[in-house]
Amino acid sequence: MSRGICLVIEDDQDIAGLISLILTREGFDVRSVRTASAALHQLRALKPALITLDLGLPDLDGLQITKDLRELSPAPLLMITARASAADQFNGMATGASAYLIKPFHPGELRDAVSRLCPARSST
């Protein structure tokens, strides 16, 4: 049973592939985009259950796109980024992130964050 759509916004193809693989195994139907503009275009049609967002996108800073994402979707927003300072984490959460994960991450950390944000529904 699908847990819904996850929109992965990540410009690094290898990292996007890893995130997609983990989330597919967690039961999500994953769609991946590499730019903020593609994400905003897809978001309107997909209505995702979860969004993952890299802050270092080629066309727009992730903190800037967060406001637009928040206006368009109530889905939990998991920032996945190499920006590791306390100020970066504070700014990410203050702009609307539901959780913040620092690269490089262990697959278990991603699974744990997703479990907190999108608890699996019981099949009873």
Side-chain angles (χ1 to χ4, degrees):
M1 175 183 239
S2 175
R3 293 175 72 181
I5 294 172
C6 177
L7 178 60
V8 174
I9 309 166
E10 170 63 63
D11 64 321
D12 183 296
Q13 191 170 2
D14 292 334
I15 294 172
L18 175 62
I19 293 169
S20 296
L21 176 65
I22 293 167
L23 294 177
T24 298
R25 289 182 176 170
E26 290 297 307
F28 287 93
D29 180 11
V30 178
R31 299 298 188 331
S32 182
V33 295
R34 298 178 81 175
T35 65
S37 59
L40 292 172
H41 178 74
Q42 289 288 317
L43 188 66
R44 291 178 178 94
L46 294 177
K47 298 187 183 347
L50 175 67
I51 301 167
T52 70
L53 172 65
D54 177 23
L55 293 182
L57 298 172
D59 61 339
L60 190 63
D61 183 78
L63 292 176
Q64 293 173 320
I65 189 179
T66 300
K67 182 179 179 186
D68 294 330
L69 293 172
R70 281 281 144 247
E71 289 176 0
L72 295 170
S73 175
L77 175 62
L78 173 58
M79 287 186 177
I80 304 176
T81 181
R83 297 183 191 175
S85 76
D88 289 328
Q89 292 179 52
F90 175 83
N91 289 333
M93 297 302 287
T95 57
S98 306
Y100 197 96
L101 189 60
I102 298 168
K103 295 176 189 174
F105 61 88
H106 186 276
E109 292 174 304
L110 177 57
R111 286 191 298 269
D112 289 346
V114 169
S115 292
R116 286 190 309 272
L117 296 174
C118 300
R121 295 184 187 113
S122 174
S123 59
T124 58

